[in-house]
Amino acid sequence: MNVQVVNLGEVITNENESIRGHGTFQKDGNLVSSVAGIVHRVNKLVSVKPLRSRYHPEVGDVVVGRITEVLRNNWKVDIGARHDAFLGLSAIILPGGVQRRRTSTDEMNMRNFYKEDELISAEIQKINYETFKISLHTRSFKYGKLSDGQFVTVPPMLIKRSKSHYLVLPNGVLLILGCNGFIWLSIPEESELKIKKISNWFISTTTELQELEDEINENSNKSIKDKNMDLETNNFDFYKKKEKMITKEQRLEICRVRNAVLALSNSFLPIYPTSIMLVCKKSIEENINPKEMIKQKNMIILTSEVKELIK
Amino acid sequence: MFESNVFDVFDFSESNKNEKGNGNGNENEKQKEKKPINPNEPLLSEELESKVKPTLEEDIFLSKSLTGGCRHEIAYPEEWENKENGQEMIDDLKNLEYPKEPATTFKFTLDPFQRTSVCCIERGDSLLVSAHTSSGKTVVGEYAIAKALKNNARVIYTSPIKALSNQKYRDLKAVYGDVGLMTGDITIDPESTCLVMTTEILRNMLYKGSEIIREVQCVIFDEIHYMKNKSRGVVWEETIILLPDKVQFVFLSATIPNCLEFAKWISKIHKQACHVVFTDKRPVPLQYYLFPKGSNELYLIVDEDGNFKDRNFQKAVTSININPITNSLINNNNQSSSKNRRLQQSQDIYRVVKLIVEKNYDPIIVFAFSKKQCEVKAMELSQMSFTTSEEQEMIQFIYKQAIGTLSEDDQKLPQIKKMLPMLKSGVAVHHAGLLPIMKEIVEILFGEGFIKVLFATETFSMGLNMPAKTVIFSSTKKFDGTVFRNITSGEFIQMSGRAGRRGLDKKGIVILMLDERIEPSVAKDILLGKPDSLNSAFHLSYNMLLNLIRIEGINPEYLMSRSFFQFQCERQLPRKKQQIEELKIESNDIKIINESKIKKFYELSEKIQELSVEIQQIRTKPFYSFGYMKPGRLVRIRKIYRYGKMKFGKVKKVIKWNWGVVINIKKRHIRRKRDEMLLEDEKENEEQDNNVLEQLKNNLSSEYIVDVLIECEDLESIQKKAKNKIRKNLNKNGGNKDSNDNDDEDEEDDDNDNHRGIVKIVKFPLSDIYKISKMRVRVPENIRSVKTKNRIIRSISEVKKRLEGTIPQLDPVENYKSTERGYEQTLEKLNELKKEIKQFHLIKNTTQWKEGYKKFLSKIEILTQIEIAEKQLSEYESVILNDKLGSMKKSLESLKYVNTEGIISEKGRTACEISSGNELIITELLYQGVFNDINIYQLTSLLSCFLHKERSKTTPKLPENLNNPFRKLTETAKKVGKIEQKSGYEINIEDFVKSFHPGLMKVVERWTFGDSFLEITKLTKNFEGTIIRTLRGLEELMRQMSNAALSMGNRDLSSKINDGIVKVKRDIVFAASLYL
């Protein structure tokens, strides 16, 4: 594949036929890049995707964000985009899934749902391209408050879009890969997942990779389904803070995944379940402790296999 | 016999109350009609039959004969039975109590079905109400709204038609105040608690995850039986599936037999109980009359108790004098006869209307099945006046008031000016071609009782609460897009439901005008038949797929597996299995002597048939034969009708003609110029590799039309032939040839039959020619006269005589220098088979054999049925439409709307924004920059092609500036069509391309320029209503396009489109509805 990399202000093309897309502007009949990045062409549309930038939201993206302000009937959420996102009071699910209009009492009690500085997961509902207002919603029970876990940020362009961004890894770690580069790691709600020791896998062929992906998907679906069932019965606890017991082993696994993500980010490699698991596996093979994983020399060792895979 | 005594039953004084209309009037009347019932009285009165455990019999009509009562059944999710407290929950469902503090009170006493419905709503359960049009379902909807308002929950009311939404909005606004309206055209107070909207808007909200969805407690679906609509029905299904489980559903439907099935579906997919309240009681009983063509009398054929009067029916039917022209079998109706017929019909209508008006049974709705018919008939009738001078003044006043909202130019529109005199005489028309404002004026005047005779198309029967005393059907036949057919009983019920105004009339009158004799059974089917079942019309669209792919955690399979379609299919399973079992037993029961031999014979003759078709195809490949289709060439035509669409399906019927003479050959539908181009293409292709050539050869066969001068049988000769045949059979002692025996020699026999038919020029596709002779006869230039035609045909027999009976055929190898692989092998094989079949010649004529063969054929029939049923079974068992989904996903992938992992791309996101035109083509055009290169006038006119749905035969000549973009559109459509075809999606590319019709391009361009509506209507023959619909749709589409352009990062285009919206959105086209 031919990749065209351009600098800010560089002429991309002088063909008259091209139409200008994101990251470009027209000057003297030329199409000029307004960012440094890679040129994408779809039919005649030319756009430039920047190598490093703030998050560019798209409708339907799963994001992790932090509440920064409680407003009259919505929350201001930082999702790392150019603009703040807003989560409306009417865009959340009320306890028990009750369907009704929000009252002023609800507005008064907004802090019972989400307070400042809390982390949430949500979906981009709509983007007003005129005013750049980004609206979020928590469409189902799987979105909402995040607690008892660890938060990591990476450049958003490293997050590889996949069918599901709500994942349970084979080592029992819940992974929410926010498309905005905000990643949440925790332990899923109690469920009967088969959790394998990472050392037991040997990923070498693509078929096994496929199997791994399938397993991750299956696990994720199961846990999320369980969560749904759970919440329908105990719905009032949904917005309450739950103290989960997290064992030392689990903490170590979460830590391992976190540092794997950081290692990938350090090498500017795409972050998705398979790449994360490859790094984790490597760390066990090389006998590197989770806390050792983010040493520069270790990071290079750990990500070498992923680099091979991507080539 | 005129049943005048029946008319006398009416209380004449009633009809004077007409002016009161039907709004509040009927409610007051209802109160008078019924004694008030003590609210504490137990609900389950005698009239109401309540059933909790659903019976196996789904069909309400089968399970119990209804005597105007009400029936209540409950469907609940199956899992409840296994739940801990499931049984309690189920038992609790029976617990219906009329609320002590109802959310709203009504001024009148509720009917049993209304009371039951209110109880169900009060419980918070979902509900399907199935009742006749004017029986008062609205009350149920209103109660649901009142209850939701009381709970401070949002409630959404959806209706299938914008006009209906407007009306509903006005009605509800007057009662509840806190009401908003959202249609594609207009949005008013979207923050209101109660929202009236079209189903499409709700569906789009669900896909967009709108916040309103999370606040809605109750959704009312009015006219849910619209879900069976072929093109739009799927929207209802999507909406119902996507709504959250906690929502209370209230469905209002016309009478449908399978309401319990529907309720079970709801309870299954939303895990909640769904009640069914059904009544087939008509508030005003109906009487059905027949008015035979050309007669002066009305015949009562069904009285108000539903008794069919056979004697009257016979009398009515026999009074129709059979017109020899209309009943003849010959197809070529000449113009004058149809004109005569039309004249006669309008006289008939004139007579009926006069009769009814004299008897004071107005207002009348006359249903005609075409817009033109409505207009013409109304014009003719408006010469009579049905109104008093005061009424005329009132009409004029209301009319002037309404028209006053328009600009002066618009007031001069011919349709507006033309209408006033008609309205003043008390006559009006109502159809989709009218300006929306005119439609509303007619509706208002009709509601006020000023219109005495209304000519309407079927659309008027949809939902609008506009009953009349009398309904007349101007014909029993309607054109449904492909053929003229009798109206179905479902359609009849819907339309006749407009007769009889609740509270005003004691009886409603329905008159059916007959213009040809029909069987009593047919008439009974129409008049007394069951209403149409509510069957799923689920299908997939690209917009649906893209929207579902875009959302995390939901996929198209999820939607499909929960569709009503899937549900209905699954329910078919046991029935299908049983059917297969029965068929198998039946086929095993057929015992045949010598079965193996007969089977052999059957297989042989089938094979021969197949091979000879193959040979014919090779011989007549247009690639070869095209050059031989010169005027004068002798050819033979054979048409083979098959069961199903399979190429080698079982042959149903074969018709052969005598030798004919080629007059002309043409490419189908394509103009001369293209034709020549194509020929050149062919020549070029000859040099290219063989594969392409092969394809070309195969594809062309049905595209060419040959005009053949041929001897056709007329009625007389058919009869004569039949007689001959009988005589021949007698002579030969029944030794007639077996039709399966396909020997060439046999056919030559027929040629010698000297029957004289009509010599005509008939068009055949080239593929129907199965023999091409080496001979040509001379064809004079002018062949119009019958004499010359006959002479040419006679010259054929001359040729035959000279060649001693056989006409030599072209040999593919020798004459076309055919390189066709396998031709000679096929021919050889055929001859071998023919030799083989000869061994059966001896036993073939024994009676035992013949009987066996007959039995065998019926066995084969059953076996094919089993095959089909088994195929269906496997389809039902798998997730429906899976293949289609696969091929659609594939084409999305090849067009780069999703990537190889099935994740939506930027292009796919753009396509998601577009829902009111073909999303694929528009997105393709966007990404090709077509919209960037053209100016806004070209842009709007190009977009009109996506919205203009009415087919007209003529394609207007487009000026260059419009033709260019249109050509790009057709090119893109072809490209996309080809990709779809490659992905295995069944699509007729030619039809697909043609679905974008440039008919209104010029009109829309001029409108964008700023021409007045009057000026643009002069440019086209299309109805004003059509133009307005297109322009309104255009504005909606442009708003979506503007968003799509922004999502691409293309600000210039977006602002260009926004400028265009300002140019388009003006004057009469966007004049506010009178209801608002």
Side-chain angles (χ1 to χ4, degrees), chain B residues 588-610:
Chain B
N588 287 337
D589 280 354
I590 299 178
K591 297 274 180 285
I592 304 164
I593 315 157
N594 264 343
E595 186 170 346
S596 58
K597 257 190 175 172
I598 291 177
K599 200 173 171 194
K600 181 96 194 286
F601 174 76
Y602 176 81
E603 277 163 6
L604 273 174
S605 46
E606 283 284 293
K607 189 84 192 160
I608 289 176
Q609 184 90 26
E610 209 173 285

PDB file of all heavy atoms in Angstrom, chain B residues 588-610:
ATOM      1  N   ASN B 588     -46.462 -42.121  -1.453  1.00  0.00           N
ATOM      2  CA  ASN B 588     -46.239 -43.553  -1.284  1.00  0.00           C
ATOM      3  C   ASN B 588     -47.480 -44.371  -1.611  1.00  0.00           C
ATOM      4  O   ASN B 588     -47.389 -45.543  -1.954  1.00  0.00           O
ATOM      5  CB  ASN B 588     -45.808 -43.850   0.155  1.00  0.00           C
ATOM      6  CG  ASN B 588     -44.387 -43.392   0.390  1.00  0.00           C
ATOM      7  OD1 ASN B 588     -43.613 -43.258  -0.559  1.00  0.00           O
ATOM      8  ND2 ASN B 588     -44.049 -43.137   1.642  1.00  0.00           N
ATOM      9  N   ASP B 589     -48.626 -43.724  -1.457  1.00  0.00           N
ATOM     10  CA  ASP B 589     -49.874 -44.427  -1.724  1.00  0.00           C
ATOM     11  C   ASP B 589     -50.109 -44.689  -3.198  1.00  0.00           C
ATOM     12  O   ASP B 589     -50.901 -45.553  -3.557  1.00  0.00           O
ATOM     13  CB  ASP B 589     -51.058 -43.626  -1.154  1.00  0.00           C
ATOM     14  CG  ASP B 589     -51.190 -43.850   0.331  1.00  0.00           C
ATOM     15  OD1 ASP B 589     -50.439 -44.706   0.847  1.00  0.00           O
ATOM     16  OD2 ASP B 589     -52.006 -43.167   0.971  1.00  0.00           O
ATOM     17  N   ILE B 590     -49.462 -43.908  -4.034  1.00  0.00           N
ATOM     18  CA  ILE B 590     -49.683 -44.096  -5.469  1.00  0.00           C
ATOM     19  C   ILE B 590     -48.898 -45.320  -5.930  1.00  0.00           C
ATOM     20  O   ILE B 590     -47.673 -45.339  -5.898  1.00  0.00           O
ATOM     21  CB  ILE B 590     -49.255 -42.844  -6.258  1.00  0.00           C
ATOM     22  CG1 ILE B 590     -50.098 -41.642  -5.806  1.00  0.00           C
ATOM     23  CG2 ILE B 590     -49.421 -43.079  -7.759  1.00  0.00           C
ATOM     24  CD1 ILE B 590     -49.725 -40.357  -6.469  1.00  0.00           C
ATOM     25  N   LYS B 591     -49.625 -46.325  -6.299  1.00  0.00           N
ATOM     26  CA  LYS B 591     -48.966 -47.558  -6.756  1.00  0.00           C
ATOM     27  C   LYS B 591     -49.065 -47.645  -8.278  1.00  0.00           C
ATOM     28  O   LYS B 591     -50.139 -47.499  -8.850  1.00  0.00           O
ATOM     29  CB  LYS B 591     -49.649 -48.780  -6.134  1.00  0.00           C
ATOM     30  CG  LYS B 591     -49.538 -48.810  -4.618  1.00  0.00           C
ATOM     31  CD  LYS B 591     -48.235 -49.462  -4.163  1.00  0.00           C
ATOM     32  CE  LYS B 591     -48.124 -49.505  -2.655  1.00  0.00           C
ATOM     33  NZ  LYS B 591     -47.806 -48.198  -2.046  1.00  0.00           N
ATOM     34  N   ILE B 592     -47.955 -47.843  -8.909  1.00  0.00           N
ATOM     35  CA  ILE B 592     -47.938 -47.863 -10.356  1.00  0.00           C
ATOM     36  C   ILE B 592     -47.296 -49.159 -10.831  1.00  0.00           C
ATOM     37  O   ILE B 592     -46.243 -49.569 -10.327  1.00  0.00           O
ATOM     38  CB  ILE B 592     -47.146 -46.664 -10.912  1.00  0.00           C
ATOM     39  CG1 ILE B 592     -47.728 -45.359 -10.361  1.00  0.00           C
ATOM     40  CG2 ILE B 592     -47.186 -46.645 -12.437  1.00  0.00           C
ATOM     41  CD1 ILE B 592     -46.832 -44.187 -10.510  1.00  0.00           C
ATOM     42  N   ILE B 593     -47.956 -49.769 -11.826  1.00  0.00           N
ATOM     43  CA  ILE B 593     -47.365 -50.967 -12.424  1.00  0.00           C
ATOM     44  C   ILE B 593     -46.288 -50.488 -13.384  1.00  0.00           C
ATOM     45  O   ILE B 593     -46.434 -49.459 -14.054  1.00  0.00           O
ATOM     46  CB  ILE B 593     -48.430 -51.769 -13.219  1.00  0.00           C
ATOM     47  CG1 ILE B 593     -49.693 -51.842 -12.375  1.00  0.00           C
ATOM     48  CG2 ILE B 593     -47.924 -53.140 -13.615  1.00  0.00           C
ATOM     49  CD1 ILE B 593     -50.938 -52.074 -13.167  1.00  0.00           C
ATOM     50  N   ASN B 594     -45.217 -51.215 -13.443  1.00  0.00           N
ATOM     51  CA  ASN B 594     -44.142 -50.864 -14.361  1.00  0.00           C
ATOM     52  C   ASN B 594     -43.484 -49.536 -14.036  1.00  0.00           C
ATOM     53  O   ASN B 594     -43.044 -48.830 -14.936  1.00  0.00           O
ATOM     54  CB  ASN B 594     -44.672 -50.772 -15.802  1.00  0.00           C
ATOM     55  CG  ASN B 594     -44.427 -52.073 -16.525  1.00  0.00           C
ATOM     56  OD1 ASN B 594     -43.607 -52.874 -16.073  1.00  0.00           O
ATOM     57  ND2 ASN B 594     -45.150 -52.269 -17.604  1.00  0.00           N
ATOM     58  N   GLU B 595     -43.431 -49.202 -12.766  1.00  0.00           N
ATOM     59  CA  GLU B 595     -42.997 -47.844 -12.425  1.00  0.00           C
ATOM     60  C   GLU B 595     -41.604 -47.524 -12.948  1.00  0.00           C
ATOM     61  O   GLU B 595     -41.352 -46.445 -13.484  1.00  0.00           O
ATOM     62  CB  GLU B 595     -43.030 -47.646 -10.909  1.00  0.00           C
ATOM     63  CG  GLU B 595     -42.734 -46.200 -10.565  1.00  0.00           C
ATOM     64  CD  GLU B 595     -42.970 -45.867  -9.112  1.00  0.00           C
ATOM     65  OE1 GLU B 595     -43.609 -46.680  -8.416  1.00  0.00           O
ATOM     66  OE2 GLU B 595     -42.526 -44.806  -8.692  1.00  0.00           O
ATOM     67  N   SER B 596     -40.714 -48.487 -12.830  1.00  0.00           N
ATOM     68  CA  SER B 596     -39.327 -48.185 -13.207  1.00  0.00           C
ATOM     69  C   SER B 596     -39.238 -47.851 -14.693  1.00  0.00           C
ATOM     70  O   SER B 596     -38.517 -46.947 -15.105  1.00  0.00           O
ATOM     71  CB  SER B 596     -38.425 -49.361 -12.865  1.00  0.00           C
ATOM     72  OG  SER B 596     -38.889 -50.510 -13.537  1.00  0.00           O
ATOM     73  N   LYS B 597     -40.020 -48.590 -15.481  1.00  0.00           N
ATOM     74  CA  LYS B 597     -39.990 -48.337 -16.918  1.00  0.00           C
ATOM     75  C   LYS B 597     -40.549 -46.961 -17.230  1.00  0.00           C
ATOM     76  O   LYS B 597     -40.001 -46.204 -18.022  1.00  0.00           O
ATOM     77  CB  LYS B 597     -40.808 -49.406 -17.650  1.00  0.00           C
ATOM     78  CG  LYS B 597     -39.931 -50.440 -18.314  1.00  0.00           C
ATOM     79  CD  LYS B 597     -40.759 -51.322 -19.208  1.00  0.00           C
ATOM     80  CE  LYS B 597     -39.870 -52.274 -19.968  1.00  0.00           C
ATOM     81  NZ  LYS B 597     -40.663 -53.266 -20.699  1.00  0.00           N
ATOM     82  N   ILE B 598     -41.666 -46.681 -16.584  1.00  0.00           N
ATOM     83  CA  ILE B 598     -42.296 -45.391 -16.830  1.00  0.00           C
ATOM     84  C   ILE B 598     -41.362 -44.268 -16.426  1.00  0.00           C
ATOM     85  O   ILE B 598     -41.222 -43.275 -17.120  1.00  0.00           O
ATOM     86  CB  ILE B 598     -43.633 -45.286 -16.054  1.00  0.00           C
ATOM     87  CG1 ILE B 598     -44.635 -46.249 -16.666  1.00  0.00           C
ATOM     88  CG2 ILE B 598     -44.168 -43.865 -16.091  1.00  0.00           C
ATOM     89  CD1 ILE B 598     -45.952 -46.282 -15.954  1.00  0.00           C
ATOM     90  N   LYS B 599     -40.692 -44.517 -15.309  1.00  0.00           N
ATOM     91  CA  LYS B 599     -39.760 -43.504 -14.834  1.00  0.00           C
ATOM     92  C   LYS B 599     -38.683 -43.260 -15.876  1.00  0.00           C
ATOM     93  O   LYS B 599     -38.319 -42.126 -16.178  1.00  0.00           O
ATOM     94  CB  LYS B 599     -39.129 -43.988 -13.529  1.00  0.00           C
ATOM     95  CG  LYS B 599     -38.535 -42.859 -12.734  1.00  0.00           C
ATOM     96  CD  LYS B 599     -38.066 -43.334 -11.371  1.00  0.00           C
ATOM     97  CE  LYS B 599     -37.282 -42.234 -10.698  1.00  0.00           C
ATOM     98  NZ  LYS B 599     -36.538 -42.737  -9.545  1.00  0.00           N
ATOM     99  N   LYS B 600     -38.194 -44.338 -16.420  1.00  0.00           N
ATOM    100  CA  LYS B 600     -37.156 -44.239 -17.433  1.00  0.00           C
ATOM    101  C   LYS B 600     -37.659 -43.394 -18.605  1.00  0.00           C
ATOM    102  O   LYS B 600     -36.989 -42.478 -19.085  1.00  0.00           O
ATOM    103  CB  LYS B 600     -36.788 -45.655 -17.893  1.00  0.00           C
ATOM    104  CG  LYS B 600     -35.715 -45.751 -18.937  1.00  0.00           C
ATOM    105  CD  LYS B 600     -34.344 -46.014 -18.286  1.00  0.00           C
ATOM    106  CE  LYS B 600     -33.196 -45.791 -19.240  1.00  0.00           C
ATOM    107  NZ  LYS B 600     -33.050 -46.829 -20.243  1.00  0.00           N
ATOM    108  N   PHE B 601     -38.871 -43.753 -19.024  1.00  0.00           N
ATOM    109  CA  PHE B 601     -39.457 -43.054 -20.160  1.00  0.00           C
ATOM    110  C   PHE B 601     -39.599 -41.563 -19.848  1.00  0.00           C
ATOM    111  O   PHE B 601     -39.256 -40.704 -20.647  1.00  0.00           O
ATOM    112  CB  PHE B 601     -40.828 -43.659 -20.490  1.00  0.00           C
ATOM    113  CG  PHE B 601     -41.575 -42.914 -21.557  1.00  0.00           C
ATOM    114  CD1 PHE B 601     -41.208 -43.065 -22.894  1.00  0.00           C
ATOM    115  CD2 PHE B 601     -42.630 -42.074 -21.254  1.00  0.00           C
ATOM    116  CE1 PHE B 601     -41.878 -42.393 -23.889  1.00  0.00           C
ATOM    117  CE2 PHE B 601     -43.299 -41.392 -22.240  1.00  0.00           C
ATOM    118  CZ  PHE B 601     -42.931 -41.546 -23.563  1.00  0.00           C
ATOM    119  N   TYR B 602     -40.079 -41.287 -18.645  1.00  0.00           N
ATOM    120  CA  TYR B 602     -40.287 -39.900 -18.238  1.00  0.00           C
ATOM    121  C   TYR B 602     -38.973 -39.135 -18.251  1.00  0.00           C
ATOM    122  O   TYR B 602     -38.859 -38.050 -18.807  1.00  0.00           O
ATOM    123  CB  TYR B 602     -40.898 -39.866 -16.842  1.00  0.00           C
ATOM    124  CG  TYR B 602     -41.074 -38.477 -16.294  1.00  0.00           C
ATOM    125  CD1 TYR B 602     -42.163 -37.689 -16.666  1.00  0.00           C
ATOM    126  CD2 TYR B 602     -40.146 -37.940 -15.398  1.00  0.00           C
ATOM    127  CE1 TYR B 602     -42.313 -36.418 -16.166  1.00  0.00           C
ATOM    128  CE2 TYR B 602     -40.291 -36.665 -14.902  1.00  0.00           C
ATOM    129  CZ  TYR B 602     -41.388 -35.907 -15.276  1.00  0.00           C
ATOM    130  OH  TYR B 602     -41.543 -34.653 -14.784  1.00  0.00           O
ATOM    131  N   GLU B 603     -37.972 -39.772 -17.679  1.00  0.00           N
ATOM    132  CA  GLU B 603     -36.678 -39.096 -17.619  1.00  0.00           C
ATOM    133  C   GLU B 603     -36.125 -38.837 -19.003  1.00  0.00           C
ATOM    134  O   GLU B 603     -35.577 -37.772 -19.290  1.00  0.00           O
ATOM    135  CB  GLU B 603     -35.687 -39.941 -16.804  1.00  0.00           C
ATOM    136  CG  GLU B 603     -35.852 -39.698 -15.314  1.00  0.00           C
ATOM    137  CD  GLU B 603     -35.208 -40.774 -14.480  1.00  0.00           C
ATOM    138  OE1 GLU B 603     -34.536 -41.664 -15.051  1.00  0.00           O
ATOM    139  OE2 GLU B 603     -35.397 -40.729 -13.257  1.00  0.00           O
ATOM    140  N   LEU B 604     -36.309 -39.838 -19.854  1.00  0.00           N
ATOM    141  CA  LEU B 604     -35.824 -39.681 -21.231  1.00  0.00           C
ATOM    142  C   LEU B 604     -36.508 -38.501 -21.909  1.00  0.00           C
ATOM    143  O   LEU B 604     -35.851 -37.647 -22.509  1.00  0.00           O
ATOM    144  CB  LEU B 604     -36.097 -40.956 -22.029  1.00  0.00           C
ATOM    145  CG  LEU B 604     -35.026 -42.050 -21.944  1.00  0.00           C
ATOM    146  CD1 LEU B 604     -35.513 -43.293 -22.673  1.00  0.00           C
ATOM    147  CD2 LEU B 604     -33.714 -41.558 -22.530  1.00  0.00           C
ATOM    148  N   SER B 605     -37.832 -38.481 -21.785  1.00  0.00           N
ATOM    149  CA  SER B 605     -38.528 -37.418 -22.521  1.00  0.00           C
ATOM    150  C   SER B 605     -38.209 -36.039 -21.938  1.00  0.00           C
ATOM    151  O   SER B 605     -38.107 -35.061 -22.665  1.00  0.00           O
ATOM    152  CB  SER B 605     -40.044 -37.669 -22.540  1.00  0.00           C
ATOM    153  OG  SER B 605     -40.502 -38.028 -21.271  1.00  0.00           O
ATOM    154  N   GLU B 606     -38.003 -36.008 -20.618  1.00  0.00           N
ATOM    155  CA  GLU B 606     -37.597 -34.732 -20.011  1.00  0.00           C
ATOM    156  C   GLU B 606     -36.249 -34.289 -20.566  1.00  0.00           C
ATOM    157  O   GLU B 606     -36.034 -33.135 -20.895  1.00  0.00           O
ATOM    158  CB  GLU B 606     -37.475 -34.885 -18.491  1.00  0.00           C
ATOM    159  CG  GLU B 606     -38.797 -34.894 -17.764  1.00  0.00           C
ATOM    160  CD  GLU B 606     -39.402 -33.503 -17.646  1.00  0.00           C
ATOM    161  OE1 GLU B 606     -38.823 -32.672 -16.934  1.00  0.00           O
ATOM    162  OE2 GLU B 606     -40.444 -33.257 -18.278  1.00  0.00           O
ATOM    163  N   LYS B 607     -35.361 -35.250 -20.644  1.00  0.00           N
ATOM    164  CA  LYS B 607     -34.012 -34.959 -21.114  1.00  0.00           C
ATOM    165  C   LYS B 607     -34.058 -34.449 -22.555  1.00  0.00           C
ATOM    166  O   LYS B 607     -33.355 -33.511 -22.925  1.00  0.00           O
ATOM    167  CB  LYS B 607     -33.181 -36.246 -21.013  1.00  0.00           C
ATOM    168  CG  LYS B 607     -31.716 -36.064 -21.251  1.00  0.00           C
ATOM    169  CD  LYS B 607     -30.999 -35.615 -19.985  1.00  0.00           C
ATOM    170  CE  LYS B 607     -29.599 -35.155 -20.370  1.00  0.00           C
ATOM    171  NZ  LYS B 607     -28.961 -34.289 -19.412  1.00  0.00           N
ATOM    172  N   ILE B 608     -34.903 -35.123 -23.360  1.00  0.00           N
ATOM    173  CA  ILE B 608     -35.026 -34.702 -24.753  1.00  0.00           C
ATOM    174  C   ILE B 608     -35.511 -33.273 -24.824  1.00  0.00           C
ATOM    175  O   ILE B 608     -34.982 -32.445 -25.562  1.00  0.00           O
ATOM    176  CB  ILE B 608     -35.971 -35.660 -25.513  1.00  0.00           C
ATOM    177  CG1 ILE B 608     -35.284 -37.004 -25.708  1.00  0.00           C
ATOM    178  CG2 ILE B 608     -36.384 -35.060 -26.849  1.00  0.00           C
ATOM    179  CD1 ILE B 608     -36.151 -38.050 -26.347  1.00  0.00           C
ATOM    180  N   GLN B 609     -36.502 -33.001 -24.009  1.00  0.00           N
ATOM    181  CA  GLN B 609     -37.063 -31.646 -23.967  1.00  0.00           C
ATOM    182  C   GLN B 609     -35.958 -30.633 -23.653  1.00  0.00           C
ATOM    183  O   GLN B 609     -35.790 -29.625 -24.322  1.00  0.00           O
ATOM    184  CB  GLN B 609     -38.122 -31.598 -22.855  1.00  0.00           C
ATOM    185  CG  GLN B 609     -38.860 -30.292 -22.757  1.00  0.00           C
ATOM    186  CD  GLN B 609     -40.100 -30.315 -23.630  1.00  0.00           C
ATOM    187  OE1 GLN B 609     -40.647 -31.372 -23.902  1.00  0.00           O
ATOM    188  NE2 GLN B 609     -40.504 -29.158 -24.093  1.00  0.00           N
ATOM    189  N   GLU B 610     -35.192 -30.974 -22.660  1.00  0.00           N
ATOM    190  CA  GLU B 610     -34.137 -30.096 -22.208  1.00  0.00           C
ATOM    191  C   GLU B 610     -33.119 -29.847 -23.305  1.00  0.00           C
ATOM    192  O   GLU B 610     -32.733 -28.716 -23.589  1.00  0.00           O
ATOM    193  CB  GLU B 610     -33.451 -30.778 -21.024  1.00  0.00           C
ATOM    194  CG  GLU B 610     -32.839 -29.854 -20.027  1.00  0.00           C
ATOM    195  CD  GLU B 610     -32.362 -30.665 -18.829  1.00  0.00           C
ATOM    196  OE1 GLU B 610     -33.201 -31.090 -18.014  1.00  0.00           O
ATOM    197  OE2 GLU B 610     -31.151 -30.897 -18.753  1.00  0.00           O
TER     198      GLU B 610
END
